[in-house]
Amino acid sequence: MPTGFFDFDLPLERPKWYIYLLYTACGAVLAGVLNFLVNITGLVNEPSFNEAATGLLNASDHIAVLIVLYCIATPFIEELLFRYFIFNLLLKYTKRAALSVVVCAALFGLYHITPVQMAYGFIMGLVITYAYYRHRVLTIPFLMHAAANAVALAFSFL
């Protein structure tokens, strides 16, 4: 039977419930550490970083809208694009997991445009992509990404 462009070999077995919780906490803690480092190094005062942060807050005056946009819609769309499509295509055609993880993370970092967010996105992308590779369940990177964005959103209000 011929395989199509988007035919990926995904496992049938789902991780235990605590694996989801562990990775979600990992996403939140890593985002907290990265946000803390950005703040103490003064990178938070970089014009490009400030523009991105204020642009996010200008999306709406309502916290509920920001949460839906930043913690649900954005992670859902980005995880479909970067982990499900890009990573799986890289892995399918290169057959090299480490290379696929790094390239996917680099593309995720580049997607975030500003230098500070590129570095942040690359580091988060490495961890999130590895988690996806390890378990091949899209819910895990979505939860990690949502938790990381929730922490970043909380930091933007501080």
Side-chain angles (χ1 to χ4, degrees):
M1 176 175 191
T3 61
F5 190 69
F6 290 114
D7 289 343
F8 305 125
D9 189 21
L10 301 174
L12 297 175
E13 185 177 324
R14 298 281 182 213
K16 303 283 188 207
W17 67 269
Y18 57 86
I19 298 296
Y20 294 93
L21 187 62
L22 179 68
Y23 279 108
T24 302
C26 179
V29 169
L30 181 57
V33 168
L34 290 173
N35 276 286
F36 177 73
L37 290 173
V38 165
N39 279 299
I40 64 167
T41 58
L43 291 173
V44 74
N45 297 322
E46 287 292 315
S48 61
F49 185 83
N50 253 336
E51 288 171 18
T54 55
L56 163 69
L57 296 177
N58 288 337
S60 177
D61 292 336
H62 302 295
I63 187 70
V65 172
L66 289 174
I67 290 170
V68 169
L69 285 174
Y70 198 58
C71 301
I72 298 171
T74 299
F76 178 76
I77 292 165
E78 289 179 356
E79 292 313 315
L80 277 175
L81 176 63
F82 286 98
R83 261 44 83 177
Y84 187 75
F85 289 115
I86 293 174
F87 173 76
N88 281 325
L89 283 172
L90 287 167
L91 186 61
K92 180 177 181 176
Y93 291 104
T94 67
K95 309 260 189 280
R96 298 178 64 197
L99 175 65
S100 299
V101 168
V102 171
V103 170
C104 186
L107 292 171
F108 187 66
L110 288 172
Y111 167 79
H112 285 85
I113 300 173
T114 68
V116 174
Q117 290 183 332
M118 281 181 188
Y120 187 106
F122 176 70
I123 294 166
M124 287 300 299
L126 282 174
V127 176
I128 292 172
T129 307
Y130 172 76
Y132 177 70
Y133 170 70
R134 173 77 172 82
H135 297 283
R136 304 304 291 273
V137 176
L138 201 55
T139 311
I140 289 173
F142 168 77
L143 291 171
M144 291 177 76
H145 196 152
N149 282 8
V151 168
L153 184 61
F155 265 88
S156 68
F157 283 109
L158 296 178

